[in-house]
Each structure stands twice: as structure tokens, then as C-alpha cells.
Amino acid sequence: MTIQIDGSQGEGGGQILRTALSLAIITGQAIQIKNIRAKRKTPGLMRQHLTAVNAATAISGAEVNGAQVGSTELSFTPDKLQGGDYHFNIGTAGSCTLVLQTVLPALFMAEQESRLVITGGTHNTMSPPFHFLQQAFIPLLKRMGVDVELQLNRFGFYPAGGGEITATIKPSTRLVPLHLESRGERVKAYAESYFAALPAHIAERELAVVKQKLSWGDEQLLLREINRDQGPGNVLLITVEHEQVTEVFTGFAERGVAAEVLAKGAVSKAQKYLASHAAVDSYLADQLLLPMALAGGGSFTATEWSQHAATNAEIIKKFLPIAISTQKLGNGAFAVKLTSNK
């Protein structure tokens, strides 16, 4: 039976495609997706989405129709999941982390160890940057029983790209449900401004905003100059570690946007999270849904329940016998619970 998916539903973006591909491989179900990325300014498959499709095809020996740039329809029939060594090159500054997100859930269920090298963008707007995956998401996966290591070989900023990440994934026999009701006591907090082939004063101005707005000490403000050949580019990362969870908030340099504006945006996200009583922010909430569903259950509290997360939940339920419920709490946060329907 082929699972029919409407890519225009809910949030209508690329996450529908990525989650569907992951779960098609894991469950062995054929899928047909129509209206891919219908609610985006440029609908259809872009280079990073096509690379995700090609990566999913490579690890599963799938039969595919519609795998070309601009395509708004795709049929995908997986064969056998196969771990191993793979290299995927996006060819643009498209997101390496979103390609990884597509194949990672399947590969930690493979029988063989896998090593992925992905080239493209590593720190992009509208996608989780490498440091978010490494410091916020992967540690929670490890608590669930996933053995995965990430390495940043080279930064890739928009529009040049050229970044590279390596992921080493060992088979996981069984995922353990994770429950994150609170974040626990704060352990550490710091801000890093990475910059390449740009004046240092840009990064210094960003960190000055963090210092002023969050009242942090100089020892928490870290200037990170990287090789010029990895630029031009700049990203501000605000990391807050608690006993149970680490969150990373980002601001990306854009032409014509002042450093202070970029920094205030990142600080605002961090402040919203710190003012709440939730364990995770909305982006991490979205990322946790699929592995928790594969574990057969789990729960967390989040600062919000976004349309992105709600859409992701609906796609997951098309493949897995899982109930996903949300409840708004009195402090403005949301409690999210996943329960097996088996």
C-alpha cells in the first residue's frame, strides 16, 4: 500500500518531505507526495531537498520518480536499508543538517555502522545549524540509546556554501523513551561569535549586545575567528546548558542587517526561553518528535507548539502507531506527550 501525502498540508514546507522519507525507509512503506513545499516562495524540490531524496534513495535502494529540481511530486518505494560509507554533496549552500536529518533516523536502525560526509551549508537561516545538532539534539538522542558522533570539518556560510560535516552512526538495537518535564538547574551559559573574512568589530558588537541584554560577564563572551577561506560569514551562537537539556539560539549575518539587529534577535529567543519554565524551545521540540515516536513514547514541555511541529506530528502518525497530545500549561508553555497505540 502506498501512503499518500499532501505536501501543502499544515506548514507546507520541506519537513513533510524529510519526515516522510525517513519513515518510508524505516517502515518499508512506499509513499507518494504531491504539492511538495507548496507554501514556500519557490515550491518544489530545491538542491538541498533533492540531495535529501538522493541520500534516502542511496541508503535504501529505493525506486524513485520525480527526483529533479523543481519537482512538486515524488514517488518513493524503498527496498532494503543499508548502512555504510556515503558522501552527499548538495552543490550549493543548502543545508547539510537537513540532509542529515532525513537519513539519520533510518541509519541508527541499520544493521551496519554508517559514516556520512555531507558538503554544503552548515550554518543557514531556516535550518538547524551544526552546533545546534551537536550540542542540543545529539546529547538527547544519546540518552535515548543512539550512538552518533558529529564533526564539523569546515564552515559553510550562505551564499558560498562549501562546508562539510561528518556523522558516524552505530546501530541502535532499541530506543529508550525520553521524558523532559523540566530543564533542571543552569550549569553554564556563553555566547560565541564565529566570523570569517569579515572585520572583527562585527562579532565584537554582537557580543556587546549579549553582554548588555543578558548581563553576562566577559568570560561568557567568546570571539571565534575562523580561516578566511571559510568565509565571508558570521554566526552568533548563544548556548545555555541546564542539567537536563542544552539549548542553542542563533543569529546569522545577512547583507544589510546591522550586527546589533542580528544579536538582538538571537538574544530575544534566548530571553523567551529563559523566562519560561519549559524544558525545550520550539525548534528542539520539533526535532524530538520523530525519535520519541520511534522509541514508542516520551514527553517534554516546550515554549510553544508551532505549526511546524503540528504538521510534523501529523506526518509521523501516518506511519507509526503513536498518539501525540498537547496541553497548554498555565505558564504559557505546552506539555507534549507521545504514547504508543500498540
Side-chain angles (χ1 to χ4, degrees), residues 47-116:
R47 286 294 313 177
Q48 71 185 35
H49 308 102
L50 179 58
T51 306
V53 172
N54 292 338
T57 302
I59 70 168
S60 68
E63 182 180 318
V64 187
N65 288 303
Q68 58 260 347
V69 171
S71 176
T72 58
E73 294 192 17
L74 182 84
S75 64
F76 181 90
T77 305
D79 190 13
K80 180 174 170 56
L81 171 62
Q82 185 73 42
D85 285 1
Y86 297 97
H87 186 182
F88 305 118
N89 182 5
I90 298 170
T92 67
S95 174
C96 293
T97 60
L98 292 181
V99 174
L100 175 62
Q101 183 191 69
T102 306
V103 294
L104 178 61
L107 287 175
F108 56 64
M109 296 192 145
E111 295 177 357
Q112 307 88 3
E113 180 174 327
S114 298
R115 182 177 179 273
L116 307 183

Side-chain angles (χ1 to χ4, degrees), residues 15-77:
Q15 185 65 56
I16 294 172
L17 171 74
R18 291 186 292 273
T19 297
L21 289 170
S22 296
L23 288 171
I25 298 169
I26 291 166
T27 63
Q29 294 267 24
I31 58 172
Q32 184 168 17
I33 310 177
K34 296 184 177 181
N35 305 316
I36 295 171
R37 300 182 65 252
K39 293 183 179 176
R40 293 296 183 256
K41 188 165 63 175
T42 307
L45 298 176
M46 297 184 72
R47 286 294 313 177
Q48 71 185 35
H49 308 102
L50 179 58
T51 306
V53 172
N54 292 338
T57 302
I59 70 168
S60 68
E63 182 180 318
V64 187
N65 288 303
Q68 58 260 347
V69 171
S71 176
T72 58
E73 294 192 17
L74 182 84
S75 64
F76 181 90
T77 305

Side-chain angles (χ1 to χ4, degrees), residues 13-341:
Q15 185 65 56
I16 294 172
L17 171 74
R18 291 186 292 273
T19 297
L21 289 170
S22 296
L23 288 171
I25 298 169
I26 291 166
T27 63
Q29 294 267 24
I31 58 172
Q32 184 168 17
I33 310 177
K34 296 184 177 181
N35 305 316
I36 295 171
R37 300 182 65 252
K39 293 183 179 176
R40 293 296 183 256
K41 188 165 63 175
T42 307
L45 298 176
M46 297 184 72
R47 286 294 313 177
Q48 71 185 35
H49 308 102
L50 179 58
T51 306
V53 172
N54 292 338
T57 302
I59 70 168
S60 68
E63 182 180 318
V64 187
N65 288 303
Q68 58 260 347
V69 171
S71 176
T72 58
E73 294 192 17
L74 182 84
S75 64
F76 181 90
T77 305
D79 190 13
K80 180 174 170 56
L81 171 62
Q82 185 73 42
D85 285 1
Y86 297 97
H87 186 182
F88 305 118
N89 182 5
I90 298 170
T92 67
S95 174
C96 293
T97 60
L98 292 181
V99 174
L100 175 62
Q101 183 191 69
T102 306
V103 294
L104 178 61
L107 287 175
F108 56 64
M109 296 192 145
E111 295 177 357
Q112 307 88 3
E113 180 174 327
S114 298
R115 182 177 179 273
L116 307 183
V117 178
I118 308 174
T119 55
T122 60
H123 294 76
N124 313 49
T125 58
M126 304 296 290
S127 63
F130 172 86
H131 289 82
F132 173 87
L133 290 189
Q134 184 188 53
Q135 296 176 38
F137 182 54
I138 296 299
L140 296 179
L141 278 188
K142 289 184 175 181
R143 284 171 56 182
M144 298 175 72
V146 176
D147 190 345
V148 56
E149 297 295 336
L150 292 188
Q151 180 178 317
L152 177 62
N153 304 325
R154 177 184 168 89
F155 279 78
F157 295 106
Y158 180 84
E164 182 179 276
I165 66 174
T166 300
T168 305
I169 307 139
K170 294 183 179 177
S172 305
T173 52
R174 181 174 173 271
L175 297 188
V176 179
L178 177 67
H179 298 280
L180 285 172
E181 309 308 330
S182 69
R183 63 180 82 138
E185 294 297 316
R186 191 189 300 188
V187 177
K188 191 190 296 185
Y190 54 95
E192 302 165 283
S193 184
Y194 287 89
F195 66 102
L198 290 172
H201 72 78
I202 293 174
E204 290 166 351
R205 285 157 52 202
E206 291 167 358
L207 294 174
V209 170
V210 175
K211 179 176 184 177
Q212 178 200 357
K213 297 286 186 182
L214 294 176
S215 300
W216 286 2
D218 290 340
E219 73 282 359
Q220 295 173 278
L221 309 171
L222 307 170
L223 208 60
R224 307 283 202 199
E225 184 170 12
I226 52 182
N227 289 342
R228 291 186 61 83
D229 65 355
Q230 297 183 54
N234 160 240
V235 61
L236 173 66
L237 302 166
I238 300 175
T239 303
V240 187
E241 297 181 13
H242 289 85
E243 291 172 329
Q244 297 299 318
V245 65
T246 295
E247 276 287 8
V248 181
F249 304 94
T250 56
F252 300 95
E254 295 180 57
R255 187 179 297 275
V257 177
E260 289 78 9
V261 173
L262 177 160
K264 285 176 184 176
V267 167
S268 178
K269 296 177 209 170
Q271 286 175 322
K272 179 183 175 184
Y273 172 69
L274 292 170
S276 79
H277 297 285
V280 303
D281 192 46
S282 60
Y283 297 119
L284 189 51
D286 197 9
Q287 299 275 330
L288 288 171
L289 289 175
L290 182 49
M292 282 190 173
L294 293 172
S299 61
F300 56 87
T301 55
T303 55
E304 66 175 292
W305 180 246
S306 67
Q307 187 183 32
H308 199 274
T311 306
N312 202 16
E314 289 304 311
I315 300 301
I316 289 168
K317 289 188 288 186
K318 286 180 178 288
F319 293 85
L320 299 176
I322 199 86
I324 303 174
S325 62
T326 63
Q327 178 187 358
K328 190 165 186 178
L329 304 175
N331 55 20
F334 283 81
V336 181
K337 186 173 183 179
L338 290 82
T339 311
S340 174
N341 282 333

